[in-house]
Amino acid sequence: MPNSSSISEFLLLALADTRQLQLLHFWLLLGIYLAALLGNGLISTAVACDHRLHTPMYFFLLNLALLDLGCISTTLPKA
């Protein structure tokens, strides 16, 4: 007996209907985005500029910060 369930349409609902909730979501996501940019930017700058931090642990921390910058810059602005 084959599976006969199928979806013929997809409904995408808005995040918020009222203008106040839209502004709240905008400012909240903007704050999260700027905090992530600032934190990862400071980590990247500190590791890149200080020669004492050129050890394997900080190399991987720099890579993680750069990866996080890339991920947050592609997903959060689309929200």
Side-chain angles (χ1 to χ4, degrees):
M1 181 167 157
N3 187 0
S4 63
S5 63
S6 66
I7 298 174
S8 61
E9 62 185 50
F10 180 74
L11 180 63
L12 184 63
L13 298 175
L15 188 62
D17 293 334
T18 62
R19 184 74 176 156
Q20 290 84 10
L21 281 176
Q22 289 175 349
L23 288 174
L24 175 68
H25 286 139
F26 169 75
W27 288 113
L28 181 67
L29 292 176
L30 181 66
I32 292 170
Y33 181 65
L34 291 177
L37 283 180
L38 180 67
N40 289 315
L42 287 174
I43 290 171
S44 301
T45 304
V47 172
C49 292
D50 194 358
H51 292 290
R52 294 175 295 177
L53 300 179
H54 290 179
T55 60
M57 181 179 72
Y58 291 105
F59 171 76
F60 289 116
L61 182 64
L62 176 64
N63 284 334
L64 183 63
L66 293 176
L67 181 66
D68 190 35
L69 277 173
C71 289
I72 197 122
S73 294
T74 57
T75 57
L76 197 60
K78 290 181 182 180

